[in-house]
Amino acid sequence: MPSFDFAGLINPRSIAIVGASGEVDGHAGRTLANLVRTGYRGEIFPVNPRHRELSGYRCYESVDQLPAQIDVAYLMLRAETAVQHVEQCAAHGIRTIVVCASGFAELGAEGRRIQETVRDVARRYGSRVLGPNCIGVMNVADNVIACPTFNITSDFLPGTMSIVSQSGGMGVNIANIAQSKGIGVRVLVSVGNECDLELADMMDALIEDPATGSVVLVVEQVRDGARFVAAAKHARSAGKPILALKLGRTSVGQRSALSHTGAMAGDYPVLQGIFRQLGVVEADSVDDLVTTANLLATAPPVAGNRLAVLSPSGGECTYMADRASEAGLDLPDLSPQTKDVLGPLMPLGHPGNPLDPTGAVIGNSDLLRAALAALDADPAFDMIAFAIPTWADFEAQRLLPLFIEAAQASRKPAVISAWTAGPMTAKAEHLLRASGTLCFSSADGAVRALTALHQYWSAPENSPGVATSPGPEPGRLTGTSEFQVKQFLAGQGIAVARETLSPTRDEAAAVARTMSWPLVAKLQCAGVVHKTELGLVRTSVHDEAQLQATLTEFDRLAREHGLATEGYLLAEQYSGLEIIVGGFRHQDFGPVVMVGAGGVWTERLADRSFRLCPLSPGEARRAVGELRISRVLAGGRGRTFDVDALAALVARVSDVMARYAWIAELDLNPVIVGAAGAVAVDAALVTGP
Amino acid sequence: MPSFDFAGLINPRSIAIVGASGEVDGHAGRTLANLVRTGYRGEIFPVNPRHRELSGYRCYESVDQLPAQIDVAYLMLRAETAVQHVEQCAAHGIRTIVVCASGFAELGAEGRRIQETVRDVARRYGSRVLGPNCIGVMNVADNVIACPTFNITSDFLPGTMSIVSQSGGMGVNIANIAQSKGIGVRVLVSVGNECDLELADMMDALIEDPATGSVVLVVEQVRDGARFVAAAKHARSAGKPILALKLGRTSVGQRSALSHTGAMAGDYPVLQGIFRQLGVVEADSVDDLVTTANLLATAPPVAGNRLAVLSPSGGECTYMADRASEAGLDLPDLSPQTKDVLGPLMPLGHPGNPLDPTGAVIGNSDLLRAALAALDADPAFDMIAFAIPTWADFEAQRLLPLFIEAAQASRKPAVISAWTAGPMTAKAEHLLRASGTLCFSSADGAVRALTALHQYWSAPENSPGVATSPGPEPGRLTGTSEFQVKQFLAGQGIAVARETLSPTRDEAAAVARTMSWPLVAKLQCAGVVHKTELGLVRTSVHDEAQLQATLTEFDRLAREHGLATEGYLLAEQYSGLEIIVGGFRHQDFGPVVMVGAGGVWTERLADRSFRLCPLSPGEARRAVGELRISRVLAGGRGRTFDVDALAALVARVSDVMARYAWIAELDLNPVIVGAAGAVAVDAALVTGP
């Protein structure tokens, strides 16, 4: 594959615009119009046989008449002619070709075939393609505004946030919203249908780009999982935060994403788990994406989740404390020293966290100064938030400089949340913007960003883990009966129920006498995976008479359903909490392990976490900790559950999935987690090609 | 109690300002300064012995020197002198007195005593008190800006949203934020510590106020539950939406609310259930509160939750569809007729919902016009959302008028969500503002408001229900053993486990022979409520030998723990899903019923819904429907659960709680919900005074 000239794409010395037009109102005319309007400093070469000149630039009749050594070509022409024009550009030595037209894979199989041809043709000449169905590049920092869009600002604020988007429209949206919040943008790259260059290419390049502080992704589908994982690891080791907004989280949204850029929107919960595992911060909304990316790019690391809140409005204190507490941040009380300092200064209240020095601070800047300094010095806190009501000029001028000074002097991440109210709060907004302080326009947004900051810094560095399973690799299982699967799993170090398969009823009865009652009886039949639905599982069999009755009933059912009995399975009965553990192969990411609530909750609650395989027991514990049922697993009322054993089992399952490519799916349902140990009492396995 | 002169409070012809000051920078000077600055048209009477004149107004030495017939007095003086000044005002015939000072119940018992004296003194003279610890009234519609705050706009937009806030600061915040969003405000009333006039007084008055379209509440605590319920019912019957933002949802937030206005922040989940039951719409954030209140006050009623989404940006389509789907809105496909109309018009896509006519609409207003009209005409939808990316002047001028025209012409609620990006989108914002179209600055906010609109119109009109339980009222139970409680409940029409209490082991064995195995055995002992923890409950007893062994073990445990055995309880064993149903008396609201997930999930998941007693089976079903476990109750994989029986049982329990005041707490845990019926298999009852 030809190498990718990132500098030539985002900061080209020369741009050819194939299909350029002078109609500034139309799509085809926009790239030229935007470059001209924003004062692009490189060379521009319009190509269009119908013009001699466009906007003062000589217009070329065809690509082959262009001078040599052009860095990038923007193709503004229809999909039908894309192959032909890409070939002309590539043959002319243009190493990067941006195909802006839509009408490719997003419309179906024929479009997909065309875009694959486009890629193959380009590569044959040593060139790479961005798109199709994309809007190219808007490089704010270097002033290369090449995207053919109308809705961009004319007043750019360069910064360190870089954006890579599979949706051009949403990418521009995010860039515009960031700009309007005073958050500078480094570059926006729209990757569109990704027939060639894709997310991971841009991630890798931007991680190495010294001007980029954080990378924001708008993702419909991760097409190459392995490269994405590698790029995310690259980002972690470089200390550069990656944030993601997933489009197509629901089946309804996917319906739209499908027709939009031809991406098969992946299974969202799986992607969520992978993001967490990789330390990719997921944002829930466009606004959060932008503000959180800015916080993560600029705030110092945090060691914990302990937040101090200060507001001169009691209502604000309560409001922010509610949201922080609900988000899982901790609001410990002030240290005794802090209370000793502040107590005598507060006539109308008691010092606490949240700290409400009341409106008294308006006439008493000493109190405010003392409060701000005390929170910074107090070792009880990792982060500080100053929550400010809507302030008009008077308060803004009198109080805001003190808040700004405190936020800037703080050695901890310190943010200001300041409600905005149009022209009324213009002074406050101006002071905040001019200071460059980390500022949020709502307490809600500030809390969500601080929570993400904590999550980013508390994510482990070493995941996905490395397979650690010892021992020789066994061959492919020839049969996948429950008993065979469990024998195989036991050989892999996974605890399974103690059980015996007996070919006859007499042997089963003899085995039962060596076990303790009650026990579990199952009828194993060829090809039957879901025994319970057929009545072939009986728990709490408490004596030999009941066992005989059960086996008689099994035989009757086997006859009724025409099943080929393989034997009677008698197993020890375990008590504890039912958990499901499974594994499968994701089309984009390969082997994935799942852990979730079992029993009646399994399907209805969809309380599940996913991770890439293999993973460490520590990462498995994090996955378990994301479940709602983890609150039950935490124990209480005299019950305890061996979460360590569960995490170890999940890690072992992930190793098995990673090691044995012939396993397509694995399902341990349930795993019984007791006070000591976690045991798979049922298991099913599907082999793949 | 003296009657409350609402007009005199919010639209007074004359205002006395006791403790007025000329220092416009100080709190005491602010009410006068704000009235003067905003051109209040009534009479102003400052009172302060240290001045002869303030801002051109004659300043009175004391209250008794004021002329007669002053509508309202604002007290700007310290808490220590409040009783004295309130008495002077009341004795002078001022019927409404606003006490702005803080330092009352929010500081503790002594402050609470003072504010109670304030109230009693005022009432003795026929006057009423607003506050203390409040900022009074800002009546935008009639231009009475009397609140002593700095942070208010100087450019007011009158409207129909009225705000009642227990937090003055948050109330002003909300008013300011509404104004900046172009949402007009009718009046803000800050009720502070509510020593006399309170939430329900303002709700009732505003429901009758023709200028008020919707009422927004900022609530720390509902002090008089019965009056709140009555006011909420009043609002429903008047068709005036009530929206609430609860401050102090978490224990951390309550910590702050407590010191803030002296309100014991109530139990949030209980209040949530009551809001839902009463049709009070709860907002999660300040921004949502404001935009949702505006939508509910202006949009026509909706019959269902079926949303059509249209955006010229595919990314926006997906984004909004994801959020709508996750919020529980339905996005059905377009009707065949709509597809027939739009299909031929769309060269680059297929018509669907969300509907993405692509950027092609920029040059093709016919397509956009057809799409907008088709959605309005399509009977598949109850609501329409037009989601618009950040638009600069060119697109705004070309496309926005068509969207605005469609939204305004629609017979269904039709909203526009338009991302804003500061000056860049100024033209779009201007067009939207000027049109008065319902507009949201994010797709997220639009979806949340539309969801609330649907919830508001789908809330039943008749709740809380009326007690329907027939039959004579039995006397207070003399004993509250499990058996006695269940006998009592059975007499109230609540299904309980079939069971017998036997005083001796021989009788128990005889009873067992008349029952079918397996059964449940319990040892009933005086004063023991939690039998399970002591090992006094044994399920799945499958034969007489096991029964005897169990009873022997019970006897041993009774001796070991020194328990007084009352008898052996043998009960039929039921299978199904474990649910908990309970009742208690809330300090502010009286009898409350609770339904939630039982078993291991009960405490850890806190999956519970609350309702006021009594309630109808229909409302009980809504409460059950709010539970996460309702997804399990919905059945599947051959399992069904009798949710109707559960709802009927919850309604019966609510009747019992409403009818028998001597029951302090009732706990049916678990109730087993099977394929047919819901049966309480354990029950406990605590009697009250």
Side-chain angles (χ1 to χ4, degrees):
Chain A
M1 194 188 317
S3 67
F4 159 43
D5 178 16
F6 179 65
L9 172 66
I10 70 158
N11 195 12
R13 289 155 299 183
S14 49
I15 302 179
I17 306 172
V18 183
S21 152
E23 287 178 47
V24 294
D25 279 9
H27 178 259
R30 268 287 129 180
T31 288
L32 178 58
N34 283 336
L35 287 169
V36 170
R37 175 171 68 87
T38 56
Y40 171 61
R41 290 184 298 268
E43 290 182 284
I44 302 177
F45 301 100
V47 179
N48 189 333
R50 285 179 295 159
H51 297 280
R52 291 285 175 90
E53 176 268 326
L54 279 172
S55 301
Y57 291 92
R58 172 183 166 191
C59 189
Y60 292 79
E61 196 173 338
S62 62
V63 171
D64 56 14
Q65 295 180 11
L66 288 169
Q69 297 201 318
I70 290 174
D71 282 339
V72 66
Y74 275 69
L75 247 67
M76 312 308 299
L77 299 162
R78 284 179 305 135
E80 290 77 2
T81 67
V83 175
Q84 167 197 345
H85 288 107
V86 165
E87 178 150 24
Q88 288 172 1
C89 291
H92 196 71
I94 301 177
R95 289 200 54 204
T96 311
I97 303 158
V98 179
V99 182
C100 294
S102 56
F104 293 85
E106 77 276 14
L107 287 191
E110 171 61 14
R112 177 170 303 282
R113 202 191 52 73
I114 299 176
Q115 74 181 37
E116 284 168 0
T117 307
V118 161
R119 173 199 61 204
D120 294 342
V121 165
R123 286 190 182 175
R124 205 182 306 140
Y125 290 92
S127 297
R128 304 297 299 268
V129 177
L130 184 70
N133 193 12
C134 80
I135 58 167
V137 168
M138 181 170 92
N139 177 349
V140 176
D142 299 309
N143 195 34
V144 182
I145 311 300
C147 48
T149 52
F150 298 98
N151 56 334
I152 51 171
T153 180
S154 52
D155 184 19
F156 294 98
L157 178 67
T160 64
M161 177 195 300
S162 287
I163 304 162
V164 184
S165 182
Q166 291 180 335
S167 161
M170 196 52 93
V172 171
N173 248 6
I174 288 165
N176 287 336
I177 290 167
Q179 299 276 293
S180 78
K181 288 179 190 288
I183 296 171
V185 170
R186 192 289 189 244
V187 64
L188 159 68
V189 182
S190 159
V191 291
N193 289 8
E194 297 182 320
C195 78
D196 178 19
L197 292 168
E198 55 146 56
L199 276 185
D201 294 292
M202 302 305 153
M203 289 166 70
D204 276 330
L206 290 167
I207 293 159
E208 294 298 325
D209 173 34
T212 293
S214 58
V215 181
V216 159
L217 308 177
V218 181
V219 182
E220 285 169 345
Q221 181 193 17
V222 174
R223 289 183 175 81
D224 188 333
R227 290 203 55 210
F228 182 85
V229 170
K233 286 184 171 182
H234 180 192
R236 292 292 294 182
S237 63
K240 219 165 257 193
I242 307 281
L243 297 95
L245 177 71
K246 171 72 170 75
L247 295 180
R249 305 199 298 198
T250 66
S251 59
V252 173
Q254 284 169 17
R255 220 155 66 191
S256 162
L258 192 58
S259 64
H260 175 219
T261 67
M264 270 298 294
D267 186 1
Y268 176 51
V270 177
L271 200 55
Q272 270 191 311
I274 294 171
F275 284 162
R276 287 179 188 147
Q277 187 175 9
L278 296 172
V280 170
V281 175
E282 202 198 350
D284 191 51
S285 72
V286 165
D287 287 306
D288 284 350
L289 183 67
V290 168
T291 54
T292 305
N294 190 41
L295 178 69
L296 263 65
T298 46
V302 286
N305 72 338
R306 302 166 307 158
L307 176 69
V309 170
L310 181 147
S311 177
S313 153
E316 276 280 293
C317 277
T318 306
Y319 186 87
M320 190 172 231
D322 277 343
R323 273 138 198 84
S325 185
E326 286 169 350
L329 297 181
D330 191 17
L331 273 82
D333 201 2
L334 303 175
S335 298
Q337 313 87 287
T338 304
K339 290 193 174 187
D340 289 347
V341 170
L342 297 180
L345 299 176
M346 290 173 60
L348 285 177
H350 309 290
N353 181 26
L355 178 59
D356 173 12
T358 79
V361 293
I362 296 175
N364 182 354
S365 60
D366 288 347
L367 167 56
L368 181 57
R369 230 183 261 277
L372 294 167
L375 292 186
D376 187 34
D378 194 328
F381 307 113
D382 304 303
M383 307 180 273
I384 307 175
F386 305 125
I388 294 173
T390 41
W391 271 352
D393 292 8
F394 174 79
E395 289 134 315
Q397 280 164 326
R398 188 171 283 210
L399 293 177
L400 212 38
L402 294 179
F403 283 93
I404 291 170
E405 188 188 312
Q408 290 180 332
S410 174
R411 286 149 296 178
K412 308 165 185 172
V415 305
I416 297 179
S417 114
W419 298 101
T420 56
M424 183 201 143
T425 52
K427 183 77 198 173
E429 282 192 78
H430 173 76
L431 287 169
L432 285 164
R433 283 284 170 82
S435 74
T437 315
L438 279 162
C439 180
F440 297 82
S441 60
S442 74
D444 311 71
V447 163
R448 287 192 294 262
L450 288 169
T451 306
L453 181 69
H454 165 63
Q455 282 166 352
Y456 178 75
W457 286 107
S458 64
E461 294 302 314
N462 59 346
S463 61
V466 180
T468 55
S469 95
E473 173 168 346
R476 174 187 283 255
L477 278 182
T478 48
T480 55
S481 73
E482 176 180 341
F483 186 72
Q484 285 169 307
V485 170
K486 283 201 247 178
Q487 292 285 309
F488 166 71
L489 293 175
Q492 299 298 317
I494 293 168
V496 298
R498 273 189 289 275
E499 64 188 9
T500 307
L501 184 68
S502 305
T504 68
R505 287 181 59 159
D506 285 349
E507 286 179 58
V511 162
R513 277 172 225 125
T514 69
M515 300 174 69
S516 55
W517 307 96
L519 49 76
V520 178
K522 303 182 184 182
L523 188 67
Q524 182 167 305
C525 300
V528 175
V529 175
H530 296 296
K531 298 181 185 68
T532 305
E533 282 78 349
L534 292 178
L536 303 181
V537 176
R538 178 73 184 265
T539 59
S540 300
V541 178
H542 51 78
D543 61 17
E544 188 157 343
Q546 204 181 13
L547 177 64
Q548 288 298 343
T550 299
L551 300 185
T552 301
E553 173 66 5
F554 282 172
D555 290 346
R556 190 189 67 73
L557 286 167
R559 278 194 305 278
E560 183 182 320
H561 296 292
L563 304 175
T565 300
E566 296 180 343
Y568 304 94
L569 201 54
L570 300 186
E572 189 175 329
Q573 182 156 326
Y574 297 84
S575 72
L577 202 58
E578 291 191 8
I579 297 290
I580 181 170
V581 178
F584 67 98
R585 295 191 188 275
H586 189 277
Q587 58 170 355
D588 302 318
F589 284 99
V592 167
V593 68
M594 185 266 286
V595 57
V600 294
W601 300 85
T602 302
E603 290 185 34
R604 290 291 168 167
L605 285 196
D607 182 24
R608 302 174 179 191
S609 298
F610 296 85
R611 289 294 190 274
L612 294 176
C613 304
L615 50 69
S616 64
E619 186 62 28
R621 241 198 121 112
R622 287 183 75 220
V624 170
E626 289 165 12
L627 300 172
R628 287 199 289 269
I629 205 174
S630 71
R631 283 183 268 175
V632 179
L633 282 166
R637 284 222 172 191
R639 297 186 77 181
T640 59
F641 300 101
D642 192 344
V643 180
D644 285 336
L646 173 61
L649 183 144
V650 171
R652 295 296 311 130
V653 168
S654 81
D655 276 359
V656 167
M657 288 300 298
R659 173 176 287 249
Y660 305 118
W662 51 267
I663 304 178
E665 290 173 46
L666 190 55
D667 193 24
L668 282 56
N669 185 18
V671 170
I672 304 282
V673 183
V679 177
V681 302
D682 197 356
L685 185 153
V686 177
T687 57
Chain B
M1 195 191 314
S3 67
F4 158 43
D5 178 16
F6 179 64
L9 172 67
I10 70 156
N11 195 10
R13 288 154 302 183
S14 50
I15 302 178
I17 305 171
V18 183
S21 152
E23 288 178 45
V24 293
D25 278 8
H27 178 258
R30 266 289 130 178
T31 287
L32 179 57
N34 282 337
L35 287 169
V36 170
R37 175 170 68 87
T38 55
Y40 171 60
R41 289 183 300 267
E43 292 182 284
I44 301 177
F45 300 99
V47 180
N48 188 332
R50 286 180 293 158
H51 297 281
R52 291 285 175 92
E53 177 268 328
L54 278 172
S55 301
Y57 293 91
R58 174 183 164 191
C59 190
Y60 292 80
E61 197 171 338
S62 62
V63 169
D64 55 15
Q65 293 180 12
L66 289 169
Q69 298 200 315
I70 290 174
D71 281 338
V72 66
Y74 275 70
L75 248 67
M76 311 307 299
L77 299 162
R78 284 179 303 136
E80 291 77 1
T81 67
V83 174
Q84 169 198 342
H85 287 105
V86 165
E87 177 149 25
Q88 287 172 2
C89 291
H92 196 69
I94 301 176
R95 290 198 56 202
T96 311
I97 303 157
V98 179
V99 182
C100 294
S102 57
F104 291 86
E106 78 276 14
L107 287 191
E110 172 61 12
R112 178 171 301 281
R113 203 192 51 72
I114 299 175
Q115 74 180 38
E116 285 168 0
T117 307
V118 161
R119 173 197 61 204
D120 294 342
V121 164
R123 287 188 181 175
R124 204 182 305 138
Y125 289 92
S127 296
R128 304 297 299 269
V129 177
L130 184 71
N133 193 11
C134 79
I135 57 166
V137 168
M138 182 171 92
N139 178 348
V140 175
D142 299 308
N143 195 34
V144 183
I145 311 299
C147 49
T149 52
F150 298 97
N151 55 333
I152 51 172
T153 179
S154 51
D155 184 19
F156 294 98
L157 178 67
T160 65
M161 178 195 299
S162 287
I163 304 160
V164 184
S165 182
Q166 291 179 337
S167 160
M170 197 50 94
V172 171
N173 248 7
I174 288 165
N176 287 336
I177 290 166
Q179 299 275 294
S180 77
K181 289 178 190 288
I183 297 171
V185 170
R186 190 294 188 242
V187 62
L188 159 67
V189 182
S190 158
V191 292
N193 289 9
E194 299 183 319
C195 79
D196 178 18
L197 292 168
E198 55 146 55
L199 275 185
D201 294 292
M202 301 306 152
M203 289 165 72
D204 276 329
L206 290 166
I207 293 159
E208 294 298 325
D209 172 35
T212 293
S214 59
V215 181
V216 159
L217 308 177
V218 181
V219 183
E220 284 169 344
Q221 181 193 17
V222 174
R223 289 183 176 81
D224 189 333
R227 291 204 54 213
F228 181 85
V229 170
K233 286 183 172 183
H234 181 191
R236 291 294 292 182
S237 63
K240 218 164 256 192
I242 307 281
L243 296 97
L245 177 71
K246 172 71 169 75
L247 295 181
R249 305 200 298 199
T250 64
S251 59
V252 173
Q254 285 168 19
R255 220 156 66 193
S256 160
L258 192 58
S259 64
H260 173 220
T261 66
M264 272 296 295
D267 186 359
Y268 176 52
V270 177
L271 201 56
Q272 268 191 313
I274 294 171
F275 284 162
R276 286 178 188 150
Q277 188 174 9
L278 296 171
V280 170
V281 175
E282 202 196 351
D284 192 53
S285 72
V286 164
D287 288 307
D288 285 349
L289 183 67
V290 168
T291 54
T292 306
N294 189 43
L295 178 68
L296 264 63
T298 46
V302 287
N305 72 338
R306 301 167 309 160
L307 177 69
V309 171
L310 182 148
S311 177
S313 153
E316 276 281 291
C317 277
T318 306
Y319 187 86
M320 190 172 232
D322 277 343
R323 272 136 198 88
S325 184
E326 286 169 349
L329 298 180
D330 191 19
L331 273 82
D333 200 3
L334 304 176
S335 298
Q337 313 88 286
T338 304
K339 289 192 175 188
D340 289 346
V341 171
L342 297 182
L345 300 175
M346 291 174 60
L348 285 177
H350 309 292
N353 182 26
L355 178 59
D356 173 12
T358 78
V361 293
I362 295 175
N364 181 352
S365 61
D366 288 345
L367 168 56
L368 181 57
R369 230 182 262 277
L372 294 167
L375 292 186
D376 187 34
D378 195 327
F381 307 113
D382 305 302
M383 308 180 274
I384 305 175
F386 304 125
I388 294 174
T390 41
W391 270 352
D393 293 7
F394 174 80
E395 289 134 314
Q397 279 165 327
R398 187 171 284 209
L399 293 178
L400 212 38
L402 294 178
F403 283 94
I404 290 170
E405 188 187 312
Q408 289 180 332
S410 175
R411 287 148 296 178
K412 307 165 184 172
V415 306
I416 297 179
S417 113
W419 298 101
T420 56
M424 183 201 144
T425 52
K427 183 77 197 170
E429 282 192 80
H430 173 75
L431 288 169
L432 287 164
R433 283 285 169 83
S435 74
T437 315
L438 279 161
C439 181
F440 297 82
S441 60
S442 74
D444 311 72
V447 163
R448 286 190 297 262
L450 289 170
T451 307
L453 181 70
H454 165 64
Q455 282 165 353
Y456 178 75
W457 286 107
S458 64
E461 293 302 313
N462 60 346
S463 62
V466 180
T468 55
S469 94
E473 174 168 345
R476 174 188 282 257
L477 278 183
T478 50
T480 54
S481 73
E482 176 180 342
F483 186 70
Q484 286 169 307
V485 170
K486 283 202 245 175
Q487 292 286 308
F488 166 73
L489 293 174
Q492 299 298 315
I494 293 168
V496 299
R498 273 189 289 276
E499 64 188 9
T500 307
L501 184 68
S502 305
T504 68
R505 289 182 57 160
D506 285 349
E507 286 178 60
V511 162
R513 277 171 226 126
T514 70
M515 301 175 67
S516 55
W517 305 98
L519 50 75
V520 178
K522 302 182 185 184
L523 188 67
Q524 182 167 306
C525 299
V528 175
V529 176
H530 296 297
K531 297 181 187 67
T532 305
E533 281 79 347
L534 292 178
L536 303 182
V537 176
R538 178 73 186 265
T539 60
S540 299
V541 178
H542 51 79
D543 60 18
E544 188 157 342
Q546 202 180 14
L547 177 64
Q548 289 297 344
T550 300
L551 301 185
T552 302
E553 173 67 4
F554 282 172
D555 291 346
R556 191 190 67 72
L557 287 167
R559 280 194 304 277
E560 181 181 319
H561 296 294
L563 304 174
T565 300
E566 295 179 343
Y568 305 93
L569 202 54
L570 300 187
E572 191 175 325
Q573 181 157 325
Y574 296 85
S575 73
L577 202 58
E578 292 190 9
I579 297 289
I580 180 170
V581 178
F584 68 97
R585 294 189 188 276
H586 189 276
Q587 58 170 357
D588 302 319
F589 284 98
V592 167
V593 68
M594 184 266 287
V595 57
V600 295
W601 299 84
T602 303
E603 290 185 34
R604 291 291 168 168
L605 284 197
D607 183 24
R608 301 174 179 193
S609 299
F610 296 85
R611 287 294 189 275
L612 294 177
C613 303
L615 51 70
S616 64
E619 185 63 27
R621 242 198 121 111
R622 286 183 76 219
V624 170
E626 290 164 12
L627 299 172
R628 286 199 288 267
I629 203 175
S630 70
R631 282 183 268 175
V632 180
L633 282 166
R637 282 222 174 192
R639 295 187 79 181
T640 60
F641 300 101
D642 192 343
V643 180
D644 285 334
L646 173 62
L649 183 143
V650 171
R652 295 296 311 131
V653 168
S654 81
D655 276 0
V656 168
M657 288 301 297
R659 173 176 288 250
Y660 305 118
W662 51 267
I663 304 177
E665 290 173 44
L666 190 55
D667 194 25
L668 283 58
N669 185 16
V671 169
I672 303 283
V673 182
V679 177
V681 302
D682 197 357
L685 184 153
V686 178
T687 58

